[in-house]
Amino acid sequence: MTAVRTLVLWCPDWPVSAAELVDGVAATDPVAVLHANRVVACSEQARAKGVRRGLRRREAQSRCPQLTVVAHDPARDTRAFEPVVAAVEELVAGVAVVRPGVCAMPARGPARHLGGEEAAAERIIEQVAQACAVESQVGIADGAFAAGLAARTGQAVPPGGTPRFLADQPVEALGRPALADLLRRLGVRTLGDFAALPSGDVLARFGADGALAHQLAAGRDHRPLAVRQPPADLTVTVDQDEPLDRVDAAAFVARALAERLHDRLTAYGLACTRLGIEAVTAHGQELHRTWRHDGLLTAAAIADRTRWQLDGWLSGGRSGTESARPTAGIVRLRLVPDGVVASGALQPGLWGEAGEERDRAHRALSRIQGVLGPEAVVTAVLGGGRSPADQVRLVPWGDERRSARPGPPAPVRSPSRSGEPPWPGRLPPPSPAVVLPEPLAAAVRDAVEEPVVVSARLAVSAAPAWLTVADGRPVAITGWTGPWPVDERWWAPAEAQRRARFQVCLADGAALLLAVEGGRWLVEASYD
């Protein structure tokens, strides 16, 4: 049985490209995508600096101090790849997504109606470049496995030539690190060497997965493609003859559009958890914002978030600056359910989540938000960071409470960092009870009234004895500990922060967290 001629489209460094498309990360800069503190993908510029897959974060940053680090996000990669697959489906039917950045399709159909296999490959690459501004390569061979390897070099393997093409490939091309390591230790270094082994012996020694890999190495790839079912078009759009330049008129349109979106989702048994709001002005200016939600968005919740966003745009942005306003009224409004789940997929917790009191509180708080805006009701979320101020962010009621990954700016005003360890330089417990919104200037002196100085090597000139906050009276320091150094983003001079922290006890019973930065003493927080 001959393997089916297959065409595979491969987008190099797709996690980096997805970070550029979704998060706005410049892929022309040195960029690395990390998972479990190791590089899983990097840009061409990062590779030129010596960054490679598998490196630890510290090693990668030591090789390239200007490296931009992006967290691994499979959902982001999948979401960004959807327009690429849609662009391919405009030319070819029966597209199967292998993984984000790679899709496969039978080569016979495109070759027949696009003038041959090579012409079809060129046309598909051009289509993806024009529709999505994404670079890609195409490989053609007998079977999806060989076509995927051919796509790495952008070649078309002649019919019947797949076993010869695979013979020189290293065993690591199988994508099974444990098996490849074992084969290397047994002296089997290429797929041709592996394919030459008797099938029965391979099955007995390596099991079913090894037998499947043996068939792939020999070019006997008979697995059918899992053709993708195009998702239902859930986006709703409204065009206006007269541009919308008043918030009340835009809110009226938004409510009707929100009900249409909710009805369409309900018809498919779906609910929205992440809402994309897009607008086009009369001058062609395009506006976009994504709102995340911690539960299922009702029709009223969709309408409220749309109204809040329109208010932010038409009123000059939340900064209130006139320059942030659109240059003309809105003529097109589109709501995109960027994240959908089955309407029964999100279940409340077993204890304390499904009571009538919680539902009543949720409705009341949502009603307050509907009148006063999303930031009228906020909740605190713990996250990562080295300073107490970084470890807590305020999230509008109803928005996602998990530590946000780097991505398109959700309507959350406080910075967010991953709470996953490690955070070198993080203060030991207990945590401060009160964190000041703005640190207070202070002066620290020793027993002879001389200023206490901390050197670059963290040497303290003398034991702190007196503390003066702002223009207040000096208070005696009865105990102190430190310094705890923090040296953040040393590789980016414009963003670098170097400071040292001290915990002090005062004669009046207070306990404070002090920081010294650039020779200035600051009061950051207080303890109970």
Side-chain angles (χ1 to χ4, degrees), residues 112-325:
R112 291 180 61 182
H113 75 268
L114 293 177
E117 291 181 346
E118 294 186 0
E122 294 177 359
R123 181 69 183 90
I124 291 173
I125 293 173
E126 180 183 0
Q127 171 77 2
V128 172
Q130 291 178 350
C132 308
V134 170
E135 295 184 0
S136 60
Q137 296 179 191
V138 166
I140 305 174
D142 299 334
F145 172 69
L149 295 179
R152 299 300 177 114
T153 54
Q155 62 180 330
V157 180
T162 295
R164 187 165 54 254
F165 165 74
L166 293 175
D168 295 330
Q169 300 290 331
V171 290
E172 286 77 11
L174 290 169
R176 294 164 168 83
L179 177 61
D181 180 67
L182 178 57
L183 291 175
R184 284 276 180 183
R185 287 187 279 119
L186 294 175
V188 179
R189 304 183 181 278
T190 66
L191 297 186
D193 296 338
F194 187 39
L197 299 177
S199 301
D201 294 344
V202 171
L203 177 62
R205 177 63 179 82
F206 302 107
D209 186 65
L212 175 59
H214 184 257
Q215 291 184 2
L216 297 179
R220 300 191 299 271
D221 186 1
H222 307 315
R223 297 172 299 172
L225 295 177
V227 178
R228 188 184 81 115
Q229 295 295 330
D233 185 10
L234 302 174
T235 303
V236 294
T237 306
V238 62
D239 294 318
Q240 295 295 121
D241 295 331
E242 294 293 330
L244 300 172
D245 53 9
R246 297 198 334 267
V247 175
D248 56 347
F252 179 80
V253 174
R255 182 163 295 278
L257 194 63
E259 292 177 354
R260 281 177 50 194
L261 174 61
H262 188 264
D263 291 343
R264 181 168 296 185
L265 290 171
T266 303
Y268 285 97
L270 301 174
C272 183
T273 61
R274 192 169 54 247
L275 175 68
I277 304 174
E278 301 176 357
V280 179
T281 68
H283 290 171
Q285 182 182 6
E286 297 183 0
L287 308 172
H288 177 77
R289 173 58 66 90
T290 299
W291 287 76
R292 299 182 178 94
H293 187 59
D294 200 31
L296 303 181
L297 286 168
T298 63
I302 295 174
D304 284 341
R305 280 152 180 78
T306 307
R307 176 170 59 84
W308 296 336
Q309 189 57 59
L310 292 172
D311 186 10
W313 283 333
L314 297 177
S315 299
R318 298 199 176 276
S319 61
T321 58
E322 202 66 25
S323 61
R325 297 187 61 181

Side-chain angles (χ1 to χ4, degrees), residues 456-478:
R457 294 183 177 274
L458 302 176
V460 183
S461 60
W466 297 94
L467 172 67
T468 303
V469 180
D471 297 328
R473 296 184 304 172
V475 181
I477 298 176
T478 58

